Amino acid sequence: MSEGSGPHLSVTDSRSGETAELAITDGTIRATDLLGLKDPESGSGLRSYDPAFMNTAACRSAVTYLDGEAGVLQYRGYPIEQLAEHSTYLEVAYLLIHGELPTPDQLSNWTHEVTTHTFVHENLKSFIQGFRYDAHPMGMLLASVGALSTFYPDAIEIHDQEIRRSHVVRLISKMPTLAAFAYRHNRGMPYVYPDNDLSYPGNFLSMVYKIAELKYQPDPRLERALDVLFILHADHEQNCSTSAVRAVGSSQVDPYSAVAAGVAALYGPLHGGANEAVLRMLRRIGSKDRVADFIDGVKAGNERLMGFGHRVYKNYDPRAKIIKKACDDVFEVTGVSPLLEIAVELEKIALEDDYFISRKLYPNVDFYSGLIYESLGMPAEMFPVMFAIPRTSGWIAQWLEMVDDPEQKIARPRQIYTGQRDLNYAPIDAR
Ligand code: CMC
């Protein structure tokens, strides 16, 4: 229980009449301060109950700033719009991980380091080859990034700065390689080794699409559009997968295993799968003239308008605006997707409709991203993989912050026990 003259919250437990003064710091009270109020029956301290962590700050973080009401997203203080316009994914990864934009030398060293660690051990290739032909690529990515820990046993030394850095670089470098191998595996196509002359997104496109040409030359417009998508997906503060990385990492496991936990969380349809649902919805609507009927169905509560609404954003998701622009650039190369005019019409009608306005439902990052991935030739199962590749830098930045935070301990929430107690064991023939 905190006392003192600073800002505080006075609470009285009506059961016992006990009063506590809870210090308010950074707009929050400390849940552990409640422990000073004793439960009159059990004598244990008062707890807070917050399933899904709807109103619990689990850490202090200086990585990503998000204001959902205003529709603001910033990495290390830099607005996402400026980064998407002027930066590259590798520079953004540096920014997230190191906290500052690199100097020209730092960027060149970082790019060199990442680019020269893109190859994976040949046994990892065999490992992926062992999956069924139709294995979900996200399942393959999850398993193979976890398996990386067995190739680098020293990765467990997370407090050794030099060792730690070498694995941070490896994770950023190798995720696209594992992702592309998983893609090729589904197609029964030979895996393509990294091409270290190409940019980060260019190399990924090469590993995915190269056939018999001696050198794959990515279209610069597609390469840039993919880089922008990677920038937009790099971090999003304490979302489900980042919280998973932090929780698992808090046991001081190696970063490959912690990132595997992030991939597992992103595998879930409520997190990494919404853009696939948008695409299915657009296909089902089928044509622009059926949009109004579809919207009526949504308003009647028959289904949701996928790609709209967000737990935190109660305004236009700033990433959605940028993605819409990237769509135009991609379609210039690939030809316009017939689904685009349905999406545009949906957005237009929804943004003018009181049902959506009054509930503050705006397009989110997933509304247009599926259309881009589809135009790039990605099957829907690859969509969460395309999310996991860039999110790796955010996961690592958050993991590093946690490892160095003296306030962090192993994650260990409490519970409200609702089961039976003190039963007597009955032998099987007496039940
Ligand atoms: N279409 C129609 N109605 C909606 C929608 C939607 N997409 N989203 C919310 N609502 C309504 C909902 O029915 C409720 O109405 P009422 O008050 O009359 O009951 C109200 O808006 C509040 O909804 P909620 O479910 O309490 O809001 P939430 O914050 O729990 O849900 C959400 C957020 C993203 C799960 C939800 O908006 C949704 O299901 N959207 C569609 C799926 C989607 O696009 N998900 C991607 C999210 S962005 C990915 C990321 O950043 O990781």
Side-chain angles (χ1 to χ4, degrees):
M1 197 170 341
S2 303
E3 315 223 346
S5 53
H8 62 272
L9 177 74
S10 300
V11 283
T12 304
D13 187 333
S14 64
R15 301 168 304 168
S16 62
E18 252 192 277
T19 298
E21 310 267 295
L22 311 175
I24 302 176
T25 322
D26 299 321
T28 60
I29 55 162
R30 277 193 179 249
T32 45
D33 283 354
L34 290 171
L35 291 169
L37 286 169
K38 297 286 175 226
D39 182 86
E41 274 170 33
S42 65
S44 58
L46 192 66
R47 298 221 170 97
S48 63
Y49 177 58
D50 189 8
F53 304 116
M54 299 276 286
N55 190 31
T56 294
C59 62
R60 289 174 178 276
S61 180
V63 180
T64 289
Y65 174 74
L66 205 168
D67 179 343
E69 288 298 328
V72 171
L73 173 63
Q74 302 182 346
Y75 296 158
R76 299 285 187 185
Y78 293 96
I80 192 71
E81 293 80 4
Q82 290 185 27
L83 295 170
E85 172 96 31
H86 303 295
S87 189
T88 61
Y89 172 69
L90 270 193
E91 186 181 52
V92 165
Y94 183 100
L95 170 69
L96 287 168
I97 288 166
H98 298 84
E100 285 172 7
L101 283 171
T103 62
D105 275 356
Q106 285 168 335
L107 182 60
S108 139
N109 290 341
W110 170 248
T111 305
H112 177 77
E113 271 185 294
V114 171
T115 309
T116 50
H117 284 88
T118 48
F119 278 67
V120 294
H121 194 289
E122 279 293 289
N123 288 1
L124 258 167
K125 226 173 92 181
S126 322
F127 180 71
I128 295 177
Q129 270 159 350
F131 282 100
R132 253 174 66 139
Y133 68 97
D134 58 353
H136 197 293
M138 196 64 166
M140 290 191 263
L141 185 67
L142 162 58
S144 53
V145 74
L148 277 178
S149 72
T150 66
F151 291 85
Y152 304 107
D154 68 342
I156 195 68
E157 292 176 42
I158 59 170
H159 295 295
D160 181 312
Q161 298 285 343
E162 211 171 306
I163 292 179
R164 188 163 88 179
R165 182 179 165 79
S166 73
H167 296 297
V168 164
V169 168
R170 285 190 172 102
L171 267 160
I172 307 272
S173 311
K174 296 182 197 305
M175 282 297 262
T177 314
L178 298 176
F181 282 10
Y183 173 93
R184 304 282 290 203
H185 180 77
N186 283 152
R187 263 144 212 83
M189 292 169 83
Y191 305 170
V192 175
Y193 287 115
D195 180 343
N196 290 347
D197 288 339
L198 296 174
S199 69
Y200 191 85
N203 170 48
F204 178 67
L205 289 170
S206 165
M207 290 189 291
V208 167
Y209 296 124
K210 187 169 185 287
I211 306 280
E213 60 272 47
L214 279 181
K215 186 159 183 79
Y216 178 88
Q217 294 293 358
D219 185 296
R221 291 165 295 178
L222 296 185
E223 199 177 353
R224 178 61 195 159
L226 189 57
D227 214 23
V228 169
L229 281 172
F230 281 177
I231 291 172
L232 300 182
H233 286 89
D235 197 47
H236 212 227
E237 55 121 292
Q238 308 310 317
N239 54 81
C240 178
S241 57
T242 302
S243 303
V245 169
R246 279 183 176 262
V248 170
S250 75
S251 72
Q252 305 205 343
V253 74
D254 66 90
Y256 299 103
S257 303
V259 165
V263 177
L266 200 57
Y267 200 170
L270 291 187
H271 193 5
N275 48 13
E276 183 183 342
V278 172
L279 214 62
R280 269 191 270 114
M281 174 190 75
L282 295 175
R283 286 194 190 122
R284 197 157 39 84
I285 296 173
S287 66
K288 191 177 152 184
D289 55 357
R290 293 174 61 188
V291 166
D293 281 352
F294 176 82
I295 292 278
D296 286 344
V298 169
K299 285 160 62 178
N302 298 343
E303 61 183 300
R304 290 200 161 190
L305 171 52
M306 299 311 287
F308 258 67
H310 196 275
R311 172 60 60 77
V312 183
Y313 290 119
K314 300 302 168 197
N315 203 324
Y316 212 102
D317 181 338
R319 301 168 298 175
K321 279 188 197 152
I322 302 166
I323 288 192
K324 205 172 163 188
K325 158 87 181 52
C327 256
D328 297 338
D329 299 344
V330 169
F331 292 154
E332 212 177 274
V333 184
T334 62
V336 177
S337 161
L339 300 178
L340 179 66
E341 65 166 7
I342 302 174
V344 169
E345 183 71 3
L346 269 175
E347 183 185 349
K348 185 170 150 279
I349 294 186
L351 289 179
E352 288 166 356
D353 193 299
D354 190 55
Y355 175 95
F356 298 91
I357 296 170
S358 61
R359 289 171 178 78
K360 300 187 175 175
L361 300 171
Y362 295 89
N364 60 49
V365 69
D366 292 317
F367 193 64
Y368 286 105
S369 63
L371 282 177
I372 299 191
Y373 294 141
E374 192 202 33
S375 299
L376 290 176
M378 289 288 164
E381 310 83 74
M382 277 297 285
F383 293 3
V385 173
M386 300 300 290
F387 192 156
I389 295 170
R391 183 53 61 87
T392 302
S393 59
W395 288 333
I396 292 172
Q398 303 263 355
W399 173 78
L400 286 168
E401 192 177 56
M402 183 210 57
V403 170
D404 284 340
D405 183 348
E407 273 205 297
Q408 286 295 330
K409 295 172 187 286
I410 186 164
R412 198 344 182 154
R414 302 305 299 255
Q415 63 172 7
I416 298 172
Y417 179 67
T418 59
Q420 306 190 72
R421 287 168 60 181
D422 302 330
L423 302 178
N424 281 320
Y425 178 83
I428 190 135
D429 52 2
R431 281 173 227 160

